Amino acid sequence: MPTLTTVIWIVVALLLVGVYLSWTAGRLDRLHARIDAAKAALDATLLRRASIAQELATAGVLDPAASMVLYQAAHGARQAEEDQREVAESELSQALRAVFAESAQLEVVRAAPGGHETAAELGAAVRRVPMARRFHNDAVRAARALRRHRTVRWFRLAGHAASPLAFEMDDEPPPVLADRGHPAGD
C-alpha cells in the first residue's frame, strides 16, 4: 500500500508541475501577443504622426526653412529601416519641437484653410506617441521579467522567440501641441 500512495503523490505532483508549466507558457505567449499588438499600435501611431507632419510641411503654410526641416524629418521617419527607426523618430520629435517652439507658428497653421483640423490632428498624434510607446515598453518589460524566471529558462518555455526589445526614442511633444487644456483645434 505505501508504494501505491507514493505513486499517486508523484503523479499528482507531476500533474501540478505540468499545469504550472502550461499556465506559465500560456502567460508568456499572451505577453508576446500583447507585445505584437502594442508594436502594431505604436507603428500606426508613429506613421500617423509622420504623415500629418509631412502633409503640413508640403502644404505651403509654414516658412520654407521650417517646411524643409519638418519634411526631411517626417520623410526620414517614414522611410527608416527598423534598426534606425528610433533615431529617425527622435529626429522627427526634435524637428516638431523646433518648428513649433513658439505658439506663433501654430497660429500660422490655424489661420490657413483647414488649419484648425490639421493642428488638432497633429496635436492628437504627438500626444498619442508617448502613450503608445509606454504600452509597448510595459509589455516588453513584463515579458522580460517572466523570461528571467528560472522555470522559464530551465524548461525553455520561451521557445526560440527572440527576447523582445523596448522602443526607446525622444517622444516629448512640442509644448504648444501637448497642452490638452487648450486643444490645438481651438
Side-chain angles (χ1 to χ4, degrees):
M1 265 318 183
T3 59
L4 183 60
T5 304
T6 304
V7 169
I8 289 173
W9 281 111
I10 290 172
V11 169
V12 168
L14 288 174
L15 185 64
L16 288 175
V17 168
V19 167
Y20 173 74
L21 291 176
S22 176
W23 176 80
T24 303
R27 182 172 165 223
L28 189 59
D29 187 53
R30 287 188 301 278
L31 281 171
H32 281 272
R34 190 172 123 201
I35 290 169
D36 290 343
K39 178 72 171 163
L42 177 61
D43 285 344
T45 303
L46 292 171
L47 181 61
R48 180 76 180 137
R49 178 182 77 154
S51 297
I52 295 168
Q54 203 167 17
E55 285 177 26
L56 183 60
T58 58
V61 175
L62 304 172
D63 64 81
S67 291
M68 184 59 77
V69 166
L70 196 56
Y71 180 83
Q72 287 178 342
H75 182 72
R78 291 182 70 176
Q79 300 298 319
E81 296 292 326
E82 193 60 36
D83 61 335
Q84 292 297 312
R85 184 104 188 263
E86 294 171 345
V87 173
E89 294 294 348
S90 294
E91 288 173 355
L92 177 55
S93 295
Q94 293 163 5
L96 285 165
R97 283 197 306 271
V99 169
F100 293 102
E102 297 177 11
S103 59
Q105 192 72 279
L106 184 60
E107 294 307 319
V108 168
V109 171
R110 287 181 180 159
H116 281 281
E117 294 80 16
T118 302
E121 283 183 54
L122 183 60
V126 299
R127 286 190 303 269
R128 286 185 184 120
V129 169
M131 186 171 37
R133 190 176 73 86
R134 193 172 317 117
F135 286 145
H136 175 266
N137 289 351
D138 286 347
V140 167
R141 204 172 2 268
R144 282 182 170 178
L146 184 58
R147 288 172 70 115
R148 280 193 297 267
H149 288 201
R150 273 183 251 165
T151 314
V152 173
R153 289 192 325 259
W154 288 348
F155 290 97
R156 299 179 189 259
L157 298 180
H160 297 289
S163 185
L165 299 173
F167 195 86
E168 298 301 333
M169 64 170 274
D170 173 0
D171 61 5
E172 185 68 30
V176 297
L177 293 174
D179 187 13
R180 289 176 182 241
H182 303 284
D186 285 348

